[in-house]
Amino acid sequence: AQSVSQHNHHVILSEAASLELGCNYSYGGTVNLFWYVQYPGQHLQLLLKYFSGDPLVKGIKGFEAEFIKSKFSFNLRKPSVQWSDTAEYFCAVRRGTYKYIFGTGTRLKVLA
Amino acid sequence: EAGVVQSPRYKIIEKKQPVAFWCNPISGHNTLYWYRQNLGQGPELLIRYENEEAVDDSQLPKDRFSAERLKGVDSTLKIQPAELGDSAVYLCASSSRAENTEAFFGQGTRLTVV
């Protein structure tokens, strides 16, 4: 079955620690990739997206993600997290006709 | 620019009762999605509209769920009758047909069926 896997369900970090959240998908062919973030009490917001070109994508708030086609992965990274990064992070794959498939999400808690 | 607007934000109903959710997408967005998000899960697509046409409703439980987007703008999602297992957050999203764009989400309606 087609799926998007986020292996870390809960992550707790101290401020200034580095972050890497894993995302793997099981589709072949061309895909568009996204990371969305949901801050407490807010709606899903786009962090970054990949369509083509440079596989290292820069997003908002210092986040970046790297598309590795051979590994079917699109991991999210941030060199130094802040307390305000506490949120839930969703990886999503869009294939063909605008259908987004989401991972189960990763809850990040950053300790001040 | 206003984002995707959903109402109500919260709804508590007894099982077997009907419920409806409303969504106003971003102006000019042809594509509208309804997603359901269960606790601890990612959003799952229920139905996708292109203008007023439902082009993907394969995941919509049609025995009790219905949706409409009569004029290709606002949309309503209805459940009748609701079951305990329908408790979830119902998300509406919209997107344009521009290349390299993403879907924009509303704040969702949290439904609790008791």
Side-chain angles (χ1 to χ4, degrees), chain B residues 12-69:
Chain B
I12 300 175
I13 61 170
E14 294 184 341
K15 62 182 180 182
K16 300 184 182 180
Q17 295 302 306
V19 65
F21 315 124
W22 175 80
C23 172
N24 181 235
I26 292 173
S27 178
H29 280 191
N30 304 94
T31 306
L32 184 145
Y33 308 81
W34 282 103
Y35 281 86
R36 176 168 60 189
Q37 186 175 14
N38 293 309
L39 192 63
Q41 301 293 319
E44 296 179 332
L45 181 69
L46 290 173
I47 189 167
R48 174 170 69 91
Y49 282 92
E50 291 293 336
N51 298 309
E52 66 275 9
E53 182 182 359
V55 295
D56 183 355
D57 63 356
S58 56
Q59 302 302 311
L60 189 73
K62 297 181 184 63
D63 57 335
R64 298 183 299 107
F65 286 65
S66 63
E68 59 184 16
R69 194 185 184 198

Coordinates of all heavy atoms in Angstrom, one line a residue, chain B residues 12-69:
Chain B
I12 N -20.1 19.3 19.8 CA -20.4 18.1 20.6 C -21.8 17.6 20.3 O -22.7 18.4 20.4 CB -20.2 18.3 22.1 CG1 -18.8 18.8 22.3 CG2 -20.5 17.1 22.9 CD1 -18.5 19.2 23.8
I13 N -22.0 16.4 19.9 CA -23.3 15.9 19.6 C -23.5 14.5 20.1 O -22.5 13.8 20.4 CB -23.6 15.9 18.1 CG1 -22.7 15.0 17.3 CG2 -23.6 17.3 17.5 CD1 -23.0 14.7 15.9
E14 N -24.7 14.1 20.3 CA -25.0 12.7 20.7 C -25.0 11.8 19.5 O -25.4 12.3 18.4 CB -26.4 12.7 21.4 CG -26.4 13.4 22.7 CD -27.7 13.2 23.5 OE1 -28.7 12.9 22.8 OE2 -27.7 13.5 24.7
K15 N -24.7 10.6 19.7 CA -24.7 9.7 18.5 C -26.1 9.6 18.0 O -27.1 9.8 18.6 CB -24.2 8.3 19.0 CG -25.0 7.6 20.0 CD -24.4 6.3 20.4 CE -25.3 5.6 21.5 NZ -24.7 4.3 21.9
K16 N -26.1 9.3 16.7 CA -27.3 9.2 15.8 C -27.9 10.6 15.4 O -28.8 10.6 14.6 CB -28.4 8.4 16.5 CG -28.0 7.0 16.8 CD -29.2 6.2 17.4 CE -28.7 4.8 17.8 NZ -29.8 4.0 18.3
Q17 N -27.3 11.7 15.9 CA -27.7 13.0 15.5 C -26.9 13.4 14.2 O -25.9 12.9 14.0 CB -27.4 14.0 16.6 CG -28.3 13.8 17.9 CD -29.7 13.8 17.5 OE1 -30.3 14.8 17.0 NE2 -30.4 12.7 17.9
P18 N -27.5 14.3 13.5 CA -26.8 14.8 12.3 C -25.9 16.0 12.7 O -26.1 16.6 13.7 CB -27.9 15.3 11.4 CG -29.0 15.8 12.4 CD -28.9 14.8 13.5
V19 N -24.9 16.2 11.8 CA -24.0 17.4 12.1 C -23.5 17.8 10.7 O -23.4 17.1 9.8 CB -22.8 17.0 13.0 CG1 -21.9 15.9 12.3 CG2 -22.0 18.2 13.4
A20 N -23.2 19.1 10.6 CA -22.7 19.7 9.4 C -21.5 20.6 9.6 O -21.5 21.3 10.7 CB -23.8 20.4 8.6
F21 N -20.6 20.6 8.7 CA -19.4 21.5 8.8 C -19.4 22.3 7.6 O -19.7 21.9 6.5 CB -18.1 20.7 8.9 CG -18.2 19.5 9.9 CD1 -17.9 18.2 9.5 CD2 -18.5 19.7 11.2 CE1 -17.9 17.2 10.3 CE2 -18.6 18.7 12.1 CZ -18.3 17.4 11.6
W22 N -18.9 23.6 7.8 CA -18.9 24.5 6.6 C -17.4 25.0 6.4 O -16.6 25.1 7.3 CB -19.8 25.7 7.0 CG -19.7 26.8 6.0 CD1 -20.4 26.8 4.8 CD2 -19.0 28.0 6.0 NE1 -20.1 28.0 4.1 CE2 -19.3 28.7 4.9 CE3 -18.1 28.5 7.0 CZ2 -18.7 30.0 4.6 CZ3 -17.6 29.8 6.8 CH2 -17.9 30.5 5.6
C23 N -17.1 25.2 5.1 CA -15.8 25.6 4.7 C -15.9 26.7 3.7 O -16.6 26.5 2.6 CB -15.0 24.4 4.2 SG -13.4 24.9 3.5
N24 N -15.1 27.8 3.8 CA -15.0 28.8 2.8 C -13.5 28.8 2.4 O -12.6 29.2 3.2 CB -15.4 30.2 3.4 CG -15.2 31.3 2.3 OD1 -14.6 32.3 2.6 ND2 -15.9 31.1 1.2
P25 N -13.2 28.4 1.2 CA -11.8 28.3 0.8 C -11.2 29.7 0.5 O -11.9 30.7 0.5 CB -11.8 27.4 -0.5 CG -13.2 27.8 -1.0 CD -14.1 28.0 0.1
I26 N -9.9 29.7 0.2 CA -9.3 30.9 -0.2 C -9.8 31.3 -1.6 O -10.0 30.5 -2.5 CB -7.7 30.7 -0.3 CG1 -7.2 30.5 1.1 CG2 -7.1 31.9 -1.0 CD1 -5.7 30.2 1.2
S27 N -10.1 32.6 -1.7 CA -10.7 33.1 -3.0 C -9.8 32.7 -4.2 O -8.6 32.9 -4.2 CB -10.8 34.6 -2.9 OG -11.3 35.2 -4.1
G28 N -10.5 32.2 -5.2 CA -9.8 31.8 -6.4 C -9.3 30.4 -6.5 O -8.8 29.9 -7.5
H29 N -9.3 29.7 -5.3 CA -8.8 28.3 -5.3 C -9.9 27.4 -5.9 O -11.0 27.3 -5.3 CB -8.5 27.9 -3.9 CG -7.2 28.4 -3.4 ND1 -6.5 28.0 -2.3 CD2 -6.3 29.3 -4.0 CE1 -5.4 28.6 -2.2 NE2 -5.2 29.4 -3.2
N30 N -9.5 26.7 -6.9 CA -10.5 25.8 -7.6 C -10.6 24.4 -6.8 O -11.7 23.8 -6.8 CB -10.0 25.4 -9.0 CG -9.8 26.7 -9.8 OD1 -8.7 27.2 -9.9 ND2 -10.9 27.2 -10.4
T31 N -9.5 24.0 -6.2 CA -9.5 22.7 -5.5 C -9.8 22.8 -4.1 O -9.3 23.7 -3.4 CB -8.2 22.0 -5.7 OG1 -7.8 22.0 -7.1 CG2 -8.2 20.6 -5.2
L32 N -10.8 22.0 -3.6 CA -11.1 22.0 -2.2 C -11.1 20.6 -1.7 O -11.6 19.7 -2.4 CB -12.6 22.6 -2.0 CG -13.0 22.7 -0.5 CD1 -13.9 24.0 -0.4 CD2 -13.8 21.5 -0.1
Y33 N -10.5 20.4 -0.5 CA -10.4 19.1 0.1 C -11.1 19.1 1.5 O -11.1 20.1 2.2 CB -8.9 18.8 0.4 CG -7.9 18.9 -0.7 CD1 -7.4 20.1 -1.1 CD2 -7.5 17.8 -1.4 CE1 -6.5 20.3 -2.1 CE2 -6.5 17.9 -2.4 CZ -6.1 19.1 -2.7 OH -5.1 19.3 -3.7
W34 N -11.7 17.9 1.8 CA -12.1 17.6 3.2 C -11.2 16.5 3.7 O -11.1 15.4 3.0 CB -13.5 17.3 3.3 CG -14.5 18.4 3.2 CD1 -15.2 18.8 2.1 CD2 -14.8 19.3 4.3 NE1 -16.0 19.9 2.5 CE2 -15.8 20.2 3.8 CE3 -14.4 19.4 5.6 CZ2 -16.3 21.2 4.6 CZ3 -14.9 20.4 6.4 CH2 -15.9 21.3 5.9
Y35 N -10.6 16.7 4.8 CA -9.8 15.6 5.5 C -10.4 15.3 6.8 O -11.0 16.2 7.5 CB -8.3 16.1 5.7 CG -7.5 16.0 4.4 CD1 -7.5 17.1 3.5 CD2 -6.7 14.9 4.2 CE1 -6.6 17.0 2.4 CE2 -5.8 14.9 3.1 CZ -5.8 15.9 2.2 OH -5.0 15.9 1.1
R36 N -10.1 14.1 7.3 CA -10.4 13.8 8.7 C -9.1 13.4 9.4 O -8.3 12.7 8.8 CB -11.4 12.6 8.7 CG -11.7 12.1 10.1 CD -12.8 11.1 10.2 NE -12.6 10.0 9.4 CZ -13.5 9.0 9.1 NH1 -14.7 9.2 9.6 NH2 -13.2 8.0 8.4
Q37 N -8.9 13.9 10.6 CA -7.7 13.6 11.3 C -8.1 13.0 12.7 O -8.7 13.7 13.5 CB -6.9 14.9 11.6 CG -5.6 14.6 12.2 CD -4.7 15.9 12.3 OE1 -5.2 17.0 12.1 NE2 -3.4 15.7 12.6
N38 N -7.8 11.8 12.8 CA -8.1 11.1 14.1 C -6.9 11.4 15.0 O -5.8 11.7 14.6 CB -8.2 9.6 13.9 CG -9.5 9.2 13.1 OD1 -10.6 9.7 13.4 ND2 -9.3 8.5 12.1
L39 N -7.2 11.2 16.3 CA -6.2 11.5 17.3 C -4.9 10.7 17.1 O -5.0 9.5 16.9 CB -6.8 11.2 18.7 CG -6.0 11.7 19.9 CD1 -5.9 13.2 19.9 CD2 -6.6 11.2 21.2
G40 N -3.8 11.4 17.1 CA -2.5 10.7 16.9 C -2.2 10.2 15.5 O -1.3 9.5 15.2
Q41 N -3.0 10.7 14.5 CA -2.8 10.3 13.1 C -2.7 11.6 12.2 O -3.0 12.7 12.7 CB -4.0 9.5 12.6 CG -4.3 8.2 13.4 CD -3.2 7.2 13.2 OE1 -2.7 7.0 12.1 NE2 -2.8 6.6 14.3
G42 N -2.2 11.3 11.0 CA -2.2 12.4 10.1 C -3.5 12.6 9.4 O -4.4 11.7 9.5
P43 N -3.8 13.7 8.7 CA -5.0 13.9 8.0 C -5.2 12.8 6.9 O -4.2 12.4 6.2 CB -4.8 15.3 7.3 CG -3.8 15.9 8.2 CD -2.9 14.9 8.6
E44 N -6.4 12.4 6.7 CA -6.8 11.4 5.7 C -7.9 12.0 4.8 O -8.9 12.5 5.3 CB -7.3 10.1 6.3 CG -6.2 9.4 7.1 CD -6.7 8.1 7.7 OE1 -7.9 8.0 8.0 OE2 -5.9 7.2 7.9
L45 N -7.7 11.9 3.5 CA -8.6 12.5 2.6 C -10.0 11.9 2.6 O -10.1 10.6 2.5 CB -8.0 12.5 1.1 CG -8.9 13.1 0.0 CD1 -8.9 14.6 0.2 CD2 -8.4 12.7 -1.3
L46 N -11.0 12.7 2.7 CA -12.4 12.2 2.5 C -12.9 12.5 1.1 O -13.5 11.6 0.5 CB -13.3 12.9 3.5 CG -13.1 12.5 5.0 CD1 -14.0 13.4 5.9 CD2 -13.4 11.1 5.2
I47 N -12.7 13.7 0.6 CA -13.2 14.1 -0.7 C -12.5 15.2 -1.2 O -12.0 16.1 -0.5 CB -14.7 14.4 -0.6 CG1 -15.4 14.5 -2.0 CG2 -15.0 15.6 0.3 CD1 -16.9 14.5 -2.0
R48 N -12.3 15.3 -2.6 CA -11.7 16.4 -3.2 C -12.6 16.9 -4.3 O -13.2 16.1 -5.1 CB -10.3 16.0 -3.8 CG -9.7 17.1 -4.7 CD -8.3 16.7 -5.1 NE -8.2 15.6 -6.0 CZ -8.2 15.7 -7.3 NH1 -8.2 16.9 -7.9 NH2 -8.1 14.7 -8.1
Y49 N -12.7 18.2 -4.4 CA -13.5 18.9 -5.4 C -12.6 19.7 -6.3 O -11.6 20.3 -5.9 CB -14.5 19.9 -4.8 CG -15.7 19.3 -4.2 CD1 -15.8 19.0 -2.8 CD2 -16.9 19.1 -4.9 CE1 -16.9 18.4 -2.3 CE2 -18.0 18.6 -4.4 CZ -18.0 18.2 -3.0 OH -19.1 17.7 -2.5
E50 N -13.0 19.7 -7.6 CA -12.4 20.6 -8.6 C -13.6 21.5 -9.0 O -14.5 21.0 -9.7 CB -11.8 19.9 -9.8 CG -10.5 19.2 -9.5 CD -9.4 20.1 -9.1 OE1 -9.4 21.3 -9.5 OE2 -8.5 19.6 -8.4
N51 N -13.6 22.7 -8.6 CA -14.8 23.6 -8.7 C -16.0 22.9 -8.0 O -15.8 22.5 -6.9 CB -15.0 23.9 -10.2 CG -13.9 24.7 -10.8 OD1 -13.4 25.7 -10.2 ND2 -13.4 24.2 -11.9
E52 N -17.1 22.6 -8.7 CA -18.2 22.0 -8.0 C -18.3 20.5 -8.2 O -19.2 19.9 -7.6 CB -19.5 22.7 -8.6 CG -19.8 22.4 -10.0 CD -19.1 23.3 -11.0 OE1 -18.3 24.1 -10.5 OE2 -19.5 23.3 -12.2
E53 N -17.3 19.9 -8.9 CA -17.3 18.5 -9.2 C -16.5 17.7 -8.1 O -15.3 18.1 -7.9 CB -16.8 18.2 -10.6 CG -16.8 16.8 -10.9 CD -16.3 16.5 -12.3 OE1 -15.9 17.5 -13.0 OE2 -16.2 15.3 -12.7
A54 N -17.1 16.7 -7.6 CA -16.3 15.8 -6.7 C -15.5 14.9 -7.5 O -16.1 14.0 -8.1 CB -17.3 15.1 -5.7
V55 N -14.2 15.0 -7.6 CA -13.4 14.2 -8.5 C -12.7 13.0 -7.7 O -12.2 12.2 -8.4 CB -12.3 15.1 -9.2 CG1 -13.0 16.1 -10.1 CG2 -11.4 15.8 -8.1
D56 N -12.7 13.0 -6.4 CA -12.2 11.9 -5.7 C -12.9 11.8 -4.4 O -12.7 12.5 -3.4 CB -10.7 12.1 -5.4 CG -10.1 10.9 -4.7 OD1 -10.8 10.0 -4.3 OD2 -8.8 10.9 -4.5
D57 N -13.9 10.9 -4.3 CA -14.7 10.7 -3.1 C -14.6 9.2 -2.7 O -15.4 8.7 -2.0 CB -16.1 11.1 -3.2 CG -16.8 10.3 -4.3 OD1 -16.2 9.4 -5.0 OD2 -18.1 10.5 -4.4
S58 N -13.5 8.5 -3.1 CA -13.4 7.1 -2.8 C -13.2 6.8 -1.3 O -13.5 5.7 -0.9 CB -12.1 6.6 -3.6 OG -11.0 7.3 -3.2
Q59 N -12.8 7.7 -0.5 CA -12.6 7.5 0.9 C -13.8 8.0 1.7 O -13.7 7.9 3.0 CB -11.3 8.1 1.4 CG -10.1 7.6 0.7 CD -9.9 6.1 0.8 OE1 -10.0 5.5 1.8 NE2 -9.7 5.4 -0.4
L60 N -14.8 8.5 1.1 CA -15.9 9.1 1.8 C -16.9 8.0 2.2 O -17.4 7.3 1.2 CB -16.6 10.2 1.0 CG -17.7 11.0 1.7 CD1 -17.0 12.0 2.7 CD2 -18.5 11.7 0.7
P61 N -17.2 7.7 3.4 CA -18.2 6.7 3.8 C -19.6 7.2 3.4 O -20.3 7.9 4.1 CB -18.1 6.6 5.3 CG -16.8 7.3 5.7 CD -16.6 8.4 4.6
K62 N -20.0 6.7 2.2 CA -21.2 7.4 1.6 C -22.5 6.9 2.3 O -23.6 7.5 2.0 CB -21.2 7.0 0.1 CG -20.0 7.6 -0.6 CD -20.1 7.3 -2.1 CE -18.8 7.8 -2.8 NZ -17.6 7.1 -2.3
D63 N -22.5 6.0 3.1 CA -23.7 5.6 3.8 C -24.2 6.7 4.8 O -25.4 6.8 5.0 CB -23.6 4.3 4.5 CG -22.4 4.3 5.5 OD1 -21.5 5.1 5.4 OD2 -22.5 3.5 6.5
R64 N -23.2 7.4 5.3 CA -23.6 8.4 6.3 C -23.0 9.8 6.1 O -23.4 10.8 6.7 CB -23.2 8.0 7.7 CG -23.8 6.7 8.2 CD -23.4 6.3 9.6 NE -22.0 6.1 9.7 CZ -21.1 6.9 10.2 NH1 -21.5 8.0 10.8 NH2 -19.8 6.6 10.3
F65 N -22.0 9.9 5.2 CA -21.4 11.2 4.9 C -21.8 11.7 3.6 O -22.0 10.9 2.6 CB -19.8 11.0 4.9 CG -19.2 10.8 6.2 CD1 -19.4 9.7 7.0 CD2 -18.3 11.8 6.7 CE1 -18.8 9.6 8.2 CE2 -17.7 11.6 7.9 CZ -17.9 10.5 8.7
S66 N -22.0 13.0 3.5 CA -22.3 13.6 2.2 C -21.6 15.0 2.2 O -21.3 15.5 3.2 CB -23.7 13.8 2.0 OG -24.3 14.6 2.9
A67 N -21.3 15.5 1.0 CA -20.7 16.8 0.9 C -21.2 17.4 -0.4 O -21.7 16.8 -1.3 CB -19.1 16.6 0.8
E68 N -21.1 18.8 -0.4 CA -21.5 19.5 -1.6 C -20.7 20.8 -1.7 O -20.2 21.3 -0.7 CB -23.0 19.8 -1.5 CG -23.5 20.6 -0.4 CD -25.0 20.8 -0.3 OE1 -25.7 20.1 -1.1 OE2 -25.5 21.7 0.4
R69 N -20.6 21.2 -2.9 CA -19.9 22.5 -3.2 C -20.7 23.1 -4.4 O -20.2 23.1 -5.5 CB -18.4 22.2 -3.5 CG -17.6 23.5 -3.5 CD -16.2 23.3 -4.0 NE -15.4 24.5 -3.9 CZ -14.2 24.7 -4.5 NH1 -13.7 23.8 -5.3 NH2 -13.6 25.8 -4.4

